[in-house]
Amino acid sequence: MSPGPPFDRETPALLVKIGRYPQHHGGLGVVRTIGRAGVPVHAVVEDRFTPVAFSRHVTSRFVWPTTGLEEPRELVDALLSIGRAIGSRCIPVPTDDEAAILLAECSDRLAECFVLPPTPSGLPRLLASKSSLHGLCEELGVPTPRTRAPENRDELMDAGRELGFPLVLKNRDAWSRLRTPAVCSTTVVRAEQDLLDRYPAGAIPPVLMQEYIPREQAEDWITHLYCGAGGTPRVVFTGLKLRSWPPHAGVTTRAVALNNPCLAKLAGDLCRRIGYSGPADLDWRYDRRDGRYKLVDFNPRTGAQFRLFENVHGIDVVRAMHLDLTGREVPGGPQADGRMFVAGQLDLPSVASWLLHEHRLPPALLSGRETERAWLSRDDPLPVAAEAIRYTGTVARFVRRSLHARFAGRRQESRS
């Protein structure tokens, strides 16, 4: 790998997030990649015990717990206060759709303290909404699974029968997943009765229903890219998702970087046509039945597994954004193929689920030489220790709730 380019160390970066998700390895990746480049990096954290707050690469931490229920003006005022405390204009790096939308739609006010990509202000909201993304794909001729956005229970039932079962449920819009969530995360529903039980009589939350492409007929691919002004891609990376948690529908727990020129062109051409500028994480599902890559999600932000990808100059999407927005050249070159990304504590239950249902070992069980671990790092050991403590607490609470629900059900049965 050739030496990396010089970075502007006078322009710091800020990790920005909205909502509570303290155990997020993507944010830690942002802090590490910028900090290792010698750039000061500041972080918004939910509390002072958030794992990322323990990173040696963090210059300062701003404890700012948010829920997503706040008014935009309140959020912008708080961000400006953070920017003024940093003392110089910095580059915000969003790790969720809500933060990306806020930064774009309030860019005029935020420009006082932040350097932002010149993307059209309404574009991140349009892309993050599963419903409007589907409409955009149909308009531009980009393949995508059949999708419906029901407004009431009758439409819900009609859409289920039209799409067929199993089908996929998602929260329709970025902010609605925090304010009126339809599902906790992407969910596969196997039968109509399961769908009706999930949404009993009455108004339904903003939900998106998507055609399920059979697992045996599909491959899950990802593209991460950073685009400059006018939607010009500066770096484009492609990779294959091997496992996720929950299985086949959740966050990536293991993936491998694989050069896919066809998919890279699809993603790059889409961003050029819509004029998107900034980091992006796109999920595609390759459908062997018709031989097409179908766009499933467009996240207008850094993805949690973005550190899977680098080019031969050591440039990932976050480094590319910092270089571009500070007026420096972004070195081009092929991606480093064969790199593996592993989110260890989430990959373990994914492997267990695979063994349970497939009765055989999953592919790529062992890591290769070029493995990017979500938490473990020799030069930054404290975050993984903090995460282990929080993860143990999360598992303990889950087990306790499960046992409580089981015993409550048994007591109810004994009374009846």
Side-chain angles (χ1 to χ4, degrees):
M1 182 180 293
S2 62
F7 285 80
D8 179 359
R9 299 185 179 185
E10 301 301 316
T11 303
L14 174 67
L15 172 67
V16 181
K17 60 198 312 188
I18 294 175
R20 184 169 180 80
Y21 52 104
Q23 295 166 258
H24 186 251
H25 49 266
L28 181 60
V30 170
V31 165
R32 284 174 171 168
T33 194
I34 289 293
R36 287 168 180 158
V39 176
V41 56
H42 308 268
V44 168
V45 296
E46 291 86 344
D47 58 66
R48 60 194 181 97
F49 299 109
T50 300
V52 73
F54 289 92
S55 173
R56 64 184 291 267
H57 299 290
V58 174
T59 303
S60 66
R61 304 145 186 86
F62 295 91
V63 176
W64 183 39
T66 55
T67 63
L69 303 179
E70 300 87 355
E71 291 296 323
R73 177 176 292 276
E74 179 184 349
L75 295 171
V76 170
D77 287 344
L79 275 177
L80 288 173
S81 295
I82 291 172
R84 291 164 187 152
I86 292 172
S88 60
R89 291 184 78 211
C90 65
I91 296 174
V93 184
T95 55
D96 55 72
D97 293 342
E98 290 79 11
I101 291 169
L102 184 77
L103 292 170
E105 293 183 348
C106 302
S107 59
D108 289 346
R109 284 195 64 201
L110 291 170
E112 173 194 336
C113 295
F114 301 103
V115 182
L116 298 161
T119 201
S121 62
L123 189 55
R125 183 183 291 269
L126 183 147
L127 297 170
S129 168
K130 315 302 181 188
S131 179
S132 58
L133 175 64
H134 177 72
L136 180 66
C137 287
E138 288 192 322
E139 178 184 336
L140 298 178
V142 176
T144 185
R146 292 181 298 142
T147 298
R148 296 294 178 269
E151 296 292 340
N152 53 55
R153 202 162 185 267
D154 288 340
E155 291 184 6
L156 183 84
M157 295 171 63
D158 290 343
R161 290 163 185 165
E162 178 186 351
L163 296 176
F165 292 89
L167 55 78
V168 179
L169 300 181
K170 299 179 179 180
N171 290 301
R172 192 168 67 205
D173 306 306
W175 293 97
S176 69
R177 72 184 183 96
L178 298 177
R179 296 171 177 171
T180 53
V183 287
C184 293
S185 60
T186 300
T187 302
V188 177
V189 174
R190 302 288 173 182
E192 183 176 81
Q193 190 57 51
D194 294 338
L195 179 65
L196 299 180
D197 290 343
R198 183 176 290 272
Y199 304 112
I204 63 172
V207 64
L208 184 109
M209 305 169 69
Q210 203 167 65
E211 169 193 12
Y212 177 78
I213 300 174
R215 183 160 53 92
E216 60 276 9
Q217 297 290 340
E219 293 176 357
D220 289 320
W221 285 81
I222 47 181
T223 54
H224 286 220
L225 63 165
Y226 171 76
C227 296
T232 302
R234 303 298 189 197
V235 290
V236 184
F237 303 107
T238 60
L240 182 64
K241 184 187 292 190
L242 301 175
R243 287 195 293 280
S244 59
W245 184 256
H248 318 301
V251 299
T252 301
T253 63
R254 187 174 292 254
V256 61
L258 291 176
N259 183 35
N260 186 327
C262 173
L263 193 57
K265 186 176 187 305
L266 278 174
D269 286 350
L270 172 60
C271 289
R272 283 191 191 91
R273 294 173 71 185
I274 62 179
Y276 177 78
S277 176
D281 168 15
L282 282 65
D283 291 323
W284 305 80
R285 201 155 170 86
Y286 178 68
D287 191 341
R288 294 193 185 97
R289 298 172 301 181
D290 57 16
R292 297 194 299 172
Y293 292 97
K294 298 180 178 179
L295 182 60
V296 176
D297 290 310
F298 190 123
N299 302 300
R301 51 165 172 80
T302 55
Q305 70 278 5
F306 83 93
R307 281 295 303 142
L308 166 65
F309 301 112
E310 289 182 348
N311 68 15
V312 292
H313 301 287
I315 302 301
D316 57 30
V317 294
V318 174
R319 289 186 172 192
M321 177 167 68
H322 194 279
L323 289 168
D324 186 55
L325 293 181
T326 54
R328 282 161 165 73
E329 180 184 355
V330 180
Q335 71 176 46
D337 260 6
R339 280 172 57 86
M340 189 82 72
F341 177 87
V342 181
Q345 85 283 25
L346 296 177
D347 199 39
L348 289 175
S350 179
V351 168
S353 174
W354 181 285
L355 285 170
L356 179 65
H357 293 96
E358 302 292 334
H359 308 293
R360 58 187 175 92
L361 291 175
L365 182 61
L366 300 177
S367 302
R369 289 183 303 169
E370 292 287 331
T371 298
E372 181 76 21
R373 300 188 184 278
W375 295 101
L376 190 63
S377 172
R378 289 182 179 179
D379 78 327
D380 194 25
L382 290 182
V384 71
E387 164 60 12
I389 294 171
R390 291 190 86 125
Y391 185 70
T392 300
T394 299
V395 172
R397 287 190 295 273
F398 174 79
V399 172
R400 186 169 61 248
R401 286 195 299 267
S402 298
L403 291 174
H404 178 76
R406 181 176 298 179
F407 290 143
R410 288 177 179 176
R411 286 196 297 269
Q412 183 66 30
E413 290 176 1
S414 63
R415 291 194 189 104
S416 58

